[in-house]
Amino acid sequence: MVGNRLGGIGSGLAYAGGTTFLALPDRGPNAVSYHSAVDDTASFIPRFHTLSMILEPSDAGSTLPYVLTPMLQDTTLLSSRTPLYYSSGTAYGLGSGVPALNAVDHTYYFSGRSDNFDAGKNSLNSNDARLDPESVRVANNGASVLISDEYGPYVNEFERSTGRRLRTYKLPDSFAVSNLSAVSNDEIAGNASGRVANKGMEGLAITPDGRYLIGAMQSPLLQDGGTNAAYTRIVKIDTYSGAVRQYAYELTNIGTSAKPKYGTISEILAINNHEFLVDERDGKGLGDNSTAAFKKLFRIDLDGATEVSAFSGANNLAGKAVGKTLFLDVVNMLTASGIAANDIPAKLEGIAFGQDLTIAGVTKHTLFIANDNDFIGTVTDTNHPNGIANPNQFFVFAFDDAELPRLLKQHIAAVSQCFDDEHGRR
């Protein structure tokens, strides 16, 4: 797998100040069959991309007032300062799970390949080479980035300039699975508790004061009912002490027990130090040969919410979920702007506040939403029999203080970035 592969960059999106954003792909391309024994994953090196995102007024006659021009500035590969556990691959008839660039760069790169784990330890072993990054945030100091992982799950802090890991924030053992497998379905079947494979910590927020990391589990834990249950968990990690608090979030898009919809959280974003936007969505739309129906941002407030670390199981979480109110119906907004529902990307996963704009003399805040296209550049299906481009896309929404009062933006220190191939740039 080449080190400069670009795609899937909307799994996570972070604002870094000015017109700079960080965009995050997940564990790499595996939507096309490669080897089923490792869930079609390859030794793709997880990374983040630095983008410049320029918003400018559209030409006269355009249906939208602004046009966005994204430009790639840099790619930073993620690595460890200490050795990682890689699979030999022999059990699957494959070669080693060690990325080829390890030997070239004399470093220990992380890998998306699902068999890069130590079977003698549970999934919270931070020395496993396998990493499935899903969300990224920039620390207040501007010098490090926080990235959530689904394989653990846990949160890693990386040096922004080099991509080298600085530390790991772990979750309680109740989030771990003990019986690890390179095949997701086997891992799910082999465990009664812990995160559901490929549905671990999908979202990550950082409070504007920089102290707390707020992680959102994509789906309920196995002991809470798994993918067709109603209550998933949000964790609050104190970066000073490492202490973790837990809260229940009730999914809206779950259907019925007879016809579940497998509701999921894709992202969480801090409004201030206690209020957050939660991206709850279906998996329908472009890339799924279906029509987008449910992609909504809900507003929650953790102040006064019930702490649920001591509770397990859907019945015990009932009545303890944090309250939620609708902030944005993304499908309705996009279709009202002329985008067909079956052309809305299925996986709208990255959200970030961006730069303010002045429109008709009024200051407007911006909200960016990005999609993960699974590295699939074109799609041909029943909705698009002649084929259609399936790029990474960015949608920008404007709102004012009345629509989102108490917005407190994170202040990120300006940091000079050096661009050095020796430090993970490709």
Side-chain angles (χ1 to χ4, degrees), residues 1-18:
M1 180 62 64
V2 295
N4 63 351
R5 179 70 179 268
L6 181 66
I9 64 176
S11 285
L13 187 68
Y15 184 53

Side-chain angles (χ1 to χ4, degrees), residues 278-281 293-298 326 328-330:
V278 176
D279 172 15
E280 187 181 339
R281 66 167 181 87
F294 189 99
K295 303 180 192 298
K296 298 181 179 182
L297 301 186
F298 290 97
L326 180 64
L328 177 65
D329 186 325
V330 179

Side-chain angles (χ1 to χ4, degrees), residues 111-151:
S111 165
R113 214 170 96 170
S114 62
D115 60 330
N116 281 333
F117 62 83
D118 183 346
K121 299 181 180 179
N122 72 20
S123 63
L124 292 177
N125 175 25
S126 58
N127 288 325
D128 285 343
R130 68 177 187 175
L131 185 72
D132 188 0
E134 291 292 349
S135 184
V136 59
R137 298 297 172 199
V138 181
N140 285 19
N141 62 15
S144 61
V145 297
L146 292 309
I147 294 178
S148 66
D149 162 73
E150 281 201 311
Y151 278 131

